[in-house]
Amino acid sequence: MTQAITVTEQQHCLHVQLSRPEKKNAIDAGMAAELHEVCERLEVTPRTLVLSGSGGVFAAGADLAEMRDRRAPQALAGINSFLFRRIAQLPMPVIAAVDGWALGGGAELAYAADFRIATVNARFGNPEVGLGVAAAAGGSWRLAALVGEPMAKHILLAGRVLDAQEALTAGLVTEVVAPEELLDSAFRLAGQVAKGAPAAVRLTKALMGMPESAHPVVDNMAQALLFESDEKYERMTAFLEKRNVRTS
């Protein structure tokens, strides 16, 4: 079976590149299986994940040749929706480094990340309704949380495509860079995340994903765990003594 992703170790993160350039990195079952393997690895050994595409494209959607023949049982299996939820729930942050098209399932993969950095060539869109389906792998609700309901409806129902500057203005991405600067920017952001205490980063991400009804109980429980940590004591002592904190 052809490898659909490439995985490389970086100083502060794991870099996964979608590598089906002949299919514009369309997400098929094989790629989904490989991404599940990455998730399993990061659930056991948490690290920040950087996702990028290849060939000047992030991901042009789900593989339509495969998707066209799927029926109700495959839809109910949630092949992409469960994968993207797993990616969103990884213990450490996920950074989507987007160059070129991020359409359909590719856009939904980017929406599942904690951060999105785009090149000037990036384009985000969800053409699903034009193909007779819905943005059912998280796009129907994650996008509204990211850019607001009016903009999300324009994208999901009327087929609007956001260019990089529009995505920045809408708050969908945090930075727009030249294509040759994309990975450096993503790795730099991973390095900034790495300056935080790992347990504090993990728990803060988890708290942000909790429903409103869970607060403040879960906040207090998380803080209680952190208050008992040696790292909290060391970092606060270093701050008070005006010396550098040792980071991993």
Side-chain angles (χ1 to χ4, degrees), residues 91-92 193-203 226 231 235 248:
M92 292 291 282
V193 170
K195 293 178 181 178
V201 171
R202 290 181 60 177
L203 284 172
L226 294 170
E231 185 157 26
R235 283 172 173 264
S248 56

Side-chain angles (χ1 to χ4, degrees), residues 17 21 74 83 91 155 166 184 207 214 244:
Q17 183 182 53
Q74 288 77 36
L83 169 63
I155 295 167
E166 289 170 330
D184 285 343
L207 288 173
N244 291 331

